[in-house]
Amino acid sequence: VRKLLYILGAVLLLAGAAFGILAWRGSSSLARYTNTNIHMGAVSTAAADALCPQTGHPRLVCLANGLQHGMSPELRAQLRRPYSAADARRWSNFPPVGYPDRVGPTLGDFTPAQLGFVKAMPATAAGLAKNEGYDELEQILNADDYLKANTTDNAGFSSGNFHIAFLGTPAERGTWELYFGGHHTAVANTYRDGRLIGATPSFRGVEPFTPFTMNGRTNAPMAQERDAFAAMLTGLTPAQQREAKLDMIFTDVVVGPQRDDNFPTTREGVRVGSLDLHRQQLVLAAIDRYVMDISQPDAAAILRRYQAELGDTYVAFSGAPGMNAENDYVRIDGPSVWIEFSMQPGRSIPGIHPHSVWRDRRSDYGGNG
Amino acid sequence: MAATADVQRRALLRAGLYVIPLLASARVLAHPMPDTEIVVGRDATTVALDIRLPFHDLLLASPPGLPRDARTLLAGNQPSLRSYFAAHTRLLGPADRPVPVTIGTIRLHQDHGADVGAYAELEVRAVARVDAHVRIRLAYDAILHRIANHRALVRDHRGRPIGTIRYSLASRRASPLALPNGPSS
């Protein structure tokens, strides 16, 4: 009996220890998150601007070097990793609890001085158009601060929990990717020898979707994407809408994170080449809402390519064309461009919220995916 | 005393061998909502599929008119739900010969995930008699037949991935997935 008690005690002791290890394992992936509100709008880039007055890729390289100057070896090791397609694929729309495997340190890991350089990098890569590019990103970060302040969900919402990483070395020569991502966000700009060779995958989503006030401003970062799609779809004739209508339901995007191989081989919907010029312009305007998330002159070059392929591009949708109800879904599918917009129910607060992904069949991950 | 200590050490070792893998597997079995998860177990003569699927997506994929409330649906519609899952959960033996599948009781599981909010899942057990050495494929398309982005993540009972069943926009169907032979280890 005594021996049995020993064994039973040992089992319980070990079970307790194992549970402790398990709990630690479960929380350790989230322990890296500071859950802080960075308030990116208030972060000054004056020092970064003074050090790096260039534009485009030379400015990105300068900012990357300026950011790393005086940085601890530990933080630098997290920030700068060898380029690999495997690491490039480590992005998600989920908050940290749903996807804890993103690469790079978080904004909460940087000093205020370093944050100025951090902020300047996506601003340089994504451009400064109102409600697009960097401005859109900042508002999505504000949405996470809003969720942190207004919900009890412990999903890791916070602007301080967004990641930045360099895959490869930012330099005039060689391949590297600027990754910036977090909940509802993925920026993956791939450069080779100083040229942008891939602006996708590019994911944006936001909750709340309706305008909200956070960090001293009104935020509605994806309203114009929805409006552009609604204008495009409601502008179709009833016959064109029937042709564009998909018979399946879409509760989310199809070629989302970790679904890089999910492109259909057959395009569905109405062929843009069959539409009149006005309707083609509405399609191009919707595409432009995504291309504008890249700074000039790269955005103009990408849009020209998509415009040249517009005749063989297809528009398809599911649900209603207004794109303002749960499970409304729209897709633009061309020889290169792939854009999906999916309206979903609110996850943390009542209402609806969109997920959207811009991909390029030819240059996702700079063609390295 | 030395003998007693040795017994204790061995007991600890044995306990560790059993307990740690069990607990370690608990984390990897966390359900990746909002997809369906299918856990496959095989013994010498039986294959069991433990299916967990989001109730909300099932409602979207089902014919209109079903109760929107999960408890009401389950209380009054077990036979029709079992028919639905029987139609969308098929096992294919050699030469794609169908293997009869029995759908058991369907249960409701309600929970809250920090990343997905409150959610309700249905838990379905499907069982078939098939020898462990027989090659079988799982043809499953519940929900997937209507919701194109939905996936069924298939794992063994230790949480090790077997594969993913997804609807192909190209072929407009979900391809069957080969299941491992032999009893689950």
Side-chain angles (χ1 to χ4, degrees), chain A residues 88 91 177-180 186-190 196 198-202 204 365-366:
Chain A
W91 60 275
E177 181 194 295
L178 171 63
Y179 168 70
F180 183 84
V187 173
N189 280 18
T190 308
L196 181 73
T200 56
S202 178
R204 302 290 188 277
Y365 305 106

Side-chain angles (χ1 to χ4, degrees), chain A residues 273-327:
Chain A
S274 71
L275 306 179
D276 64 24
L277 193 60
H278 171 67
R279 292 184 173 92
Q280 289 190 14
Q281 287 302 316
L282 290 175
V283 177
L284 199 62
I287 294 173
D288 197 31
R289 296 276 73 80
Y290 291 81
V291 175
M292 285 287 282
D293 293 337
I294 294 297
S295 61
Q296 299 293 0
D298 291 319
I302 295 168
L303 193 65
R304 277 196 300 275
R305 183 159 56 91
Y306 291 166
Q307 189 167 14
E309 297 173 345
L310 208 54
D312 290 326
T313 298
Y314 287 73
V315 167
F317 77 103
S318 177
M323 290 296 122
N324 54 13
E326 199 176 312
N327 304 324

Side-chain angles (χ1 to χ4, degrees), chain B residues 8-55:
Chain B
Q8 287 173 357
R9 272 198 301 274
R10 282 186 203 167
L12 277 168
L13 185 62
R14 270 200 300 273
L17 286 174
Y18 286 111
V19 174
I20 289 176
L22 186 72
L23 294 175
S25 69
R27 181 171 143 77
V28 295
L29 286 173
H31 185 199
M33 285 284 292
D35 292 315
T36 287
E37 182 181 73
I38 302 174
V39 176
V40 179
R42 289 189 81 165
D43 64 20
T45 58
T46 310
V47 59
L49 308 171
D50 286 305
I51 305 165
R52 294 170 65 188
L53 56 135
F55 174 71

